[in-house]
């Protein structure tokens, strides 16, 4: 029997299949859409093709309480911290950039959450911000990396508000700034918004779907804070953490 | 989806509370319909005692703002005020109240009022914020009635004799206009008696809030914000005193029987800042399900004026209304919070950063980090607003609150 962790995020639903020792056997990411049950079922179906699944499933994220399945719900922040501590086993700061939220988490040497923060009301610095900008500029987010690598200038985009940032970008375009420099500036603004959330201490670990899909963000974090890493599969860590938080409980 | 839902215990005194509040609104409505008494509008931590002593019925627009917020009507009214030139960034009690007034809508209409009771005079104190002056000025212009104000300096570190004397003088300067409007001579003995009743009510209110020192607590924040009604609007009357004797007796009985407000109290929280009026019920259940009791708050403590003294009514009123938490400098606030953390065995603090109430959001100048370093008590900041639900991201806040309780559990 294998355990399943599901992180039902605003943009993507992330699932992990975990063995009884807590090791990840498989993972699967689907678009959330507007039906949390449908998204989760796709994950369950995929895992069920090859493995027998144990219930309840362990959930976190916006849709954690919406499933028609037996579930044990968790905080995605506690779950993420658990996963990161399981991997690194040391005190660290985490910045997680998701579709709707940016989170800062500080964990102690013993793996306990000492402090955390989520982004304020606006979306600047989150995945929604990137999607909105991509839509406005008519450039698919998947092409951002290519453009940003060609940047020759360090443009600053200061607005906290996504709508104002779009206006700011229109101003930049009007003033003749090139697209690669603007996209580089957009990445920079995400990093700026994250770095001002709190004082960073110890190793900074970058997680979430946005840095996973936009690796230049990690490069820009490293320019500001040298001791900075991003684990592989960082998008699925909270889902994994959900299972890890409950592993010993179910064993007993 | 699979969790057992827990509910906080209900207080039986709520029936007496309803009668007490109905009586208050009944007296106001009678004054409004018959003119048997003059009506003064007053800010919630304004000079209610002097007004009651001179025979006014006293109406509190902030209480009305809270009613509109709790009835989830603010989002309808704020845009009306905004369209009339009021910024959505200013006090949402103000914008909600003025917006509702412009549409001639009030929950009081369900209790037989035609509209909010027309004022004969408006009296404010800027001890809580300066926006009350602008708020009351709207009504002074509309009704063409006198407006009086006590202008209290803010961010006070020490309450020096100069400051207190000045405020006491400002209290005295209200009298000639109040005499004119009320058609009554000011009577120092009546004022002393009102101050005595206000003091008695405040002492009872303090005792009520302090029952939450008991583990487990018989009362939580979501009860207190409802049961504080009489100390806000009937401070200085026998009605408030009578009601709080009933409530205190119930809470003492609950302590004797070890009956808790939260079914399985594990964590004790201090709430700083305003309530989110439109979320009282869901938040109350959220915390109950997290085995967490909010046992103390800046907000409910704001109506403890126990330095009022009938022997020296002007000076003690001046002192009491300056000693208030919201009037003080951050250094003084820190001391108050530190004591409350100890007295109420607090495990964690939640700071509600209320978008339109900067004066009552105490996490904007680093107080929260200084206090955490000093006390080692963890804290959480949530963004929201007292009335404007558009400033609140519920899902994000629930996740943050759940994580915070996980954090407290891990530290326990």
């Amino acid at each position: 029997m294998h355990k399943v962790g599901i992180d039902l995020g605003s943009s993507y639903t992330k699932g992990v299949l975990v063995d009884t020792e807590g090791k990840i056997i498989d993972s699967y990411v689907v678009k959330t859409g507007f039906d949390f049950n449908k998204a989760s079922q796709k994950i369950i179906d995929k895992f069920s093709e090859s493995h027998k699944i144990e219930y309840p499933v362990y959930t976190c994220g916006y849709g954690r309480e919406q499933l028609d399945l037996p579930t044990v719900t968790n905080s995605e922040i506690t779950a993420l911290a658990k996963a990161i501590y399981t991997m690194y086993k040391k005190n660290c700061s985490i910045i997680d950039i998701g579709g709707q939220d940016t989170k800062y988490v500080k964990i102690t040497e013993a793996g306990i959450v000492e402090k955390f923060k989520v982004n304020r009301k606006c979306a600047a610095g989150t995945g929604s911000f990137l999607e909105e900008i991509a839509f406005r500029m008519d450039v698919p987010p998947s092409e951002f990396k290519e453009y940003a690598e060609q940047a020759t200038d360090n443009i600053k985009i200061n607005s906290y508000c996504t709508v104002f940032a779009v206006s700011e970008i229109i101003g930049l375009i009007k003033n003749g700034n090139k697209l690669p420099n603007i996209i580089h500036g957009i990445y920079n603004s995400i990093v700026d918004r994250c770095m001002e959330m709190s004082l960073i201490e110890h190793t900074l670990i970058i997680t979430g779907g946005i840095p996973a899909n936009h690796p230049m963000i990690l490069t820009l974090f490293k320019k500001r804070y040298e001791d900075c890493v991003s684990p592989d599969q960082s998008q699925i860590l909270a889902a994994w953490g959900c299972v890890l938080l409950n592993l010993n409980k179910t064993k007993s | 989806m699979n969790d057992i839902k827990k509910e906080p215990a209900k207080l039986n005194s709520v029936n007496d509370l309803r009668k007490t509040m109905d009586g208050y609104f009944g007296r106001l409505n009678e004054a409004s319909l018959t003119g048997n008494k003059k009506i003064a509008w007053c800010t919630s931590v304004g000079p209610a005692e002097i007004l009651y002593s001179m025979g006014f019925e006293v109406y509190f627009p902030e209480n009305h703002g809270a009613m509109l917020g709790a009835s989830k009507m603010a989002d309808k009214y704020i845009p009306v005020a905004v369209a009339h030139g009021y910024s959505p960034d200013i006090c949402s009690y103000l914008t909600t109240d003025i917006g509702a007034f412009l549409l001639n809508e009030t929950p009081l209409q369900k209790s037989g009022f035609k509209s909010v009771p027309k004022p004969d005079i408006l009296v404010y104190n800027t001890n809580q914020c300066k926006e009350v002056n602008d708020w009351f000025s709207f009504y002074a212009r509309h009704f063409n009635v006198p407006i009086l104000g006590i202008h209290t300096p803010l961010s006070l570190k020490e309450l020096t004799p100069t400051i207190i004397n000045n405020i006491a003088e400002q209290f005295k300067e209200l009298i000639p206009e109040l005499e004119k409007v009320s058609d009554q001579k000011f009577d120092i003995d009546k004022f002393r008696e009102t101050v005595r009743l206000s003091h008695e009510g405040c002492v009872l209110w303090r005792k009520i809030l302090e029952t939450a020192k008991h583990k487990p607590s018989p009362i939580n924040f979501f009860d207190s914000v409802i049961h504080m009604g009489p100390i806000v609007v009937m401070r200085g009357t026998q009605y408030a005193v009578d009601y709080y004797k009933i409530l205190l007796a119930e809470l003492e009985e609950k302590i004797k029987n070890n009956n808790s407000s939260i079914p399985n109290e594990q964590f004790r929280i201090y709430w700083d800042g305003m309530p989110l009026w439109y979320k009282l019920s869901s938040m109350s259940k959220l915390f109950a399900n997290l085995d967490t009791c909010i046992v103390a708050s800046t907000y409910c403590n704001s109506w403890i004026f126990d330095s009022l003294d009938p022997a020296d009514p002007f000076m003690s009123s001046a002192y009491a209304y300056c000693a208030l938490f919201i009037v003080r400098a951050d250094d003084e606030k820190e001391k108050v919070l530190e004591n409350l953390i100890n007295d109420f065995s607090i495990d964690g603090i939640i700071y509600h950063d209320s978008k339109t109430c900067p004066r009552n959001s105490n996490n904007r100048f680093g107080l929260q980090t200084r206090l955490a370093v000093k006390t080692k008590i963890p804290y959480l900041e949530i963004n929201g607003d007292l009335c404007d639900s558009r400033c609140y991201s519920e899902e994000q806040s629930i996740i943050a609150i759940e994580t915070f309780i996980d954090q407290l559990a891990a530290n326990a």
Side-chain angles (χ1 to χ4, degrees):
Chain A
M1 293 285 267
H2 287 73
K3 297 173 194 304
V4 174
I6 302 179
D7 173 6
L8 295 117
S10 58
S11 301
Y12 289 92
T13 296
K14 289 81 71 174
V16 289
L17 184 72
V18 178
D19 70 13
T20 49
E21 299 306 312
K23 205 175 136 219
I24 298 175
I25 303 297
D26 199 1
S27 66
Y28 192 42
V29 179
V30 297
K31 265 208 159 252
T32 299
F34 54 84
D35 188 341
F36 288 116
N37 270 300
K38 209 167 161 185
S40 301
Q41 199 55 52
K42 280 185 193 166
I43 288 168
I44 303 271
D45 291 347
K46 162 85 164 44
F47 292 157
S48 301
E49 285 170 11
S50 51
H51 294 85
K52 208 161 166 79
I53 285 170
E54 182 185 297
Y55 289 95
V57 295
Y58 302 97
T59 61
C60 69
Y62 282 114
R64 67 197 178 287
E65 289 185 332
Q66 308 301 321
L67 302 189
D68 299 331
L69 298 166
T71 54
V72 170
T73 60
N74 302 272
S75 149
E76 67 208 52
I77 299 168
T78 312
L80 176 65
K82 177 73 178 175
I84 290 293
Y85 188 73
T86 304
M87 293 174 80
Y88 293 92
K89 293 189 173 49
K90 63 175 187 175
N91 50 5
C92 59
S93 298
I94 306 166
I95 288 177
D96 182 83
I97 311 174
Q100 202 69 39
D101 293 320
T102 302
K103 304 177 192 82
Y104 158 83
V105 191
K106 186 181 172 193
I107 52 181
T108 65
E109 262 176 77
I112 292 169
V113 173
E114 186 186 330
K115 199 176 163 189
F116 69 94
K117 251 183 167 178
V118 288
N119 60 305
R120 292 162 68 92
K121 287 168 284 285
C122 75
T126 70
S128 305
F129 171 66
L130 272 186
E131 278 174 20
E132 174 65 18
I133 303 280
F135 173 74
R136 292 283 166 187
M137 295 198 310
D138 202 17
V139 178
S142 56
E143 290 177 19
F144 270 30
K145 176 176 177 277
E146 207 179 309
Y147 280 109
E149 281 170 356
Q150 298 164 31
T152 54
D153 196 4
N154 225 352
I155 287 178
K156 285 287 266 184
I157 293 165
N158 291 313
S159 301
Y160 280 112
C161 162
T162 300
V163 175
F164 286 2
V166 169
S167 312
E168 202 178 338
I169 288 164
I170 290 166
L172 290 169
I173 293 168
K174 248 170 55 182
N175 290 334
N177 288 282
K178 300 273 180 288
L179 189 59
N181 293 340
I182 293 172
I183 289 179
H184 188 269
I186 290 162
Y187 278 153
N188 251 327
S189 82
I190 288 178
V191 176
D192 286 343
R193 295 291 86 79
C194 292
M195 292 299 286
E196 69 191 13
M197 287 184 82
S198 192
L199 290 174
I200 306 295
E201 289 178 80
H202 317 297
T203 300
L204 172 60
I205 297 167
I206 308 295
T207 65
I210 300 307
N213 293 317
H214 300 270
M216 180 166 278
I217 288 177
L218 178 64
T219 311
L220 295 173
F221 268 114
K222 280 183 174 167
K223 279 191 184 166
R224 286 170 179 70
Y225 195 86
E226 214 174 303
D227 184 11
C228 176
V229 294
S230 184
D232 291 340
Q233 292 188 295
S234 75
Q235 198 176 2
I236 61 162
L237 294 178
W240 181 39
C242 285
V243 180
L244 295 175
L245 282 170
N246 293 282
L247 206 56
N248 294 331
K249 288 182 201 167
T250 47
K251 262 186 180 176
S252 63
Chain B
M1 180 142 211
N2 307 299
D3 296 341
I4 299 160
K5 299 290 178 201
K6 295 174 192 162
E7 297 267 352
K10 288 197 168 63
L11 291 170
N12 296 326
S13 304
V14 79
N15 295 325
D16 291 288
L17 172 68
R18 200 168 295 129
K19 280 183 214 154
T20 306
M21 294 304 287
D22 285 351
Y24 163 74
F25 285 115
R27 290 188 295 278
L28 258 179
N29 198 20
E30 193 186 345
S32 180
L33 294 172
T34 67
N36 68 335
K37 280 187 162 189
K38 298 288 183 184
I39 295 173
W41 287 19
C42 184
T43 49
S44 66
V45 282
E49 294 82 1
I50 203 162
L51 298 172
Y52 274 124
S53 81
M54 295 184 74
F56 287 99
E57 288 299 345
V58 189
Y59 169 79
F60 296 83
E62 281 149 89
N63 175 247
H64 191 242
M67 284 165 73
L68 292 167
S71 59
K72 304 181 201 293
M73 294 302 285
D75 295 350
K76 175 180 177 187
Y77 300 133
I78 292 168
V80 178
V82 171
H84 280 77
Y86 288 85
S87 163
D89 293 333
I90 61 169
C91 171
S92 61
Y93 272 165
L94 183 165
T95 48
T96 302
D97 182 64
I98 289 180
F101 182 80
L102 289 165
L103 295 180
N104 191 29
E105 291 182 13
T106 167
L108 298 176
Q109 282 158 339
K110 286 181 196 153
S111 311
F113 283 75
K114 283 186 187 154
S115 64
V116 290
K118 180 185 173 301
D120 295 294
I121 192 164
L122 301 143
V123 187
Y124 63 86
N125 188 339
T126 62
N127 51 355
Q128 58 196 106
C129 68
K130 300 219 174 287
E131 292 175 40
V132 292
N133 181 352
D134 300 290
W135 185 357
F136 278 36
S137 295
F138 167 86
Y139 290 108
R141 281 190 295 270
H142 180 87
F143 289 111
N144 193 25
V145 294
I147 178 167
L148 304 175
I150 292 172
H151 293 263
T152 305
L154 299 176
S155 299
L156 297 178
K157 196 168 163 64
E158 278 177 62
L159 302 178
T160 62
T162 313
I163 293 169
I164 304 305
N165 282 328
N166 174 281
I167 301 298
E169 284 307 309
Q170 290 194 52
F171 267 81
K172 288 176 188 167
E173 285 168 9
L174 300 175
I175 291 170
E177 188 69 29
L178 292 176
E179 284 180 330
K180 210 158 81 187
V181 173
S182 67
D183 216 12
Q184 279 193 27
K185 284 303 276 178
F186 172 74
D187 180 337
I188 185 73
D189 291 328
K190 280 188 185 167
F191 185 38
R192 284 185 205 282
E193 175 58 10
T194 316
V195 166
R196 187 193 68 74
L197 284 168
S198 188
H199 177 261
E200 193 179 348
C202 289
V203 169
L204 285 164
W205 181 238
R206 176 191 280 283
K207 285 182 181 168
I208 285 160
L209 294 178
E210 286 182 350
T211 60
K213 287 182 182 174
H214 186 263
K215 282 186 174 182
S217 171
I219 188 167
N220 75 65
F221 175 63
F222 302 101
D223 299 319
S224 303
V225 295
I226 300 300
H227 289 264
M228 67 193 267
I231 201 66
V232 177
V233 301
M234 284 172 266
R235 196 169 63 250
T237 71
Q238 188 66 44
Y239 305 110
V241 171
D242 291 346
Y243 173 65
Y244 286 128
K245 283 181 182 167
I246 295 169
L247 177 58
L248 182 60
E250 182 185 357
L251 295 170
E252 283 172 345
E253 189 65 19
K254 284 186 77 164
I255 288 178
K256 214 160 75 187
N257 299 323
N258 218 28
N259 289 337
S260 62
S261 172
I262 301 301
N264 178 32
E265 180 190 300
Q266 298 293 311
F267 305 104
R268 297 165 63 83
I269 296 287
Y270 183 88
W271 180 276
D272 181 77
M274 298 296 291
L276 295 98
W277 286 110
Y278 43 92
K279 286 290 165 197
L280 286 187
S281 167
S282 60
M283 275 206 153
S284 163
K285 287 175 192 153
L286 170 70
F287 282 102
N289 279 286
L290 294 168
D291 299 331
T292 298
C293 186
I294 300 180
V295 292
S297 68
T298 310
Y299 186 66
C300 294
N301 277 359
S302 295
W303 280 269
I304 301 173
F305 302 104
D306 53 4
S307 46
L308 287 170
D309 180 1
D312 196 355
F314 284 106
M315 286 298 279
S316 70
S317 293
Y319 184 89
Y321 285 101
C322 285
L324 186 60
F325 186 89
I326 198 168
V327 185
R328 310 307 297 275
D330 268 13
D331 287 354
E332 298 303 308
K333 289 180 177 174
E334 254 180 74
K335 285 181 208 160
V336 172
L337 291 175
E338 208 179 333
N339 287 335
L340 288 167
I341 286 169
N342 290 327
D343 293 349
F344 285 83
S345 317
I346 299 295
D347 299 307
I349 304 178
I350 296 179
Y351 293 90
H352 170 208
D353 188 322
S354 186
K355 165 85 173 157
T356 70
C357 191
R359 294 274 313 140
N360 222 335
S361 300
N362 292 300
N363 61 330
R364 295 192 178 184
F365 295 92
L367 179 151
Q368 75 283 27
T369 51
R370 290 193 297 274
L371 196 64
V373 168
K374 208 163 167 189
T375 62
K376 311 277 179 247
I377 298 294
Y379 70 89
L380 169 70
E381 296 166 80
I382 60 166
N383 292 106
D385 189 57
L386 59 162
C387 281
D388 193 344
S389 69
R390 299 168 302 177
C391 300
Y392 178 60
S393 168
E394 184 166 32
E395 267 307 315
Q396 198 185 55
S397 301
I398 289 173
I399 288 171
I401 290 166
E402 287 178 357
T403 306
F404 187 55
I405 303 306
D406 280 350
Q407 182 185 348
L408 299 184
N411 285 327

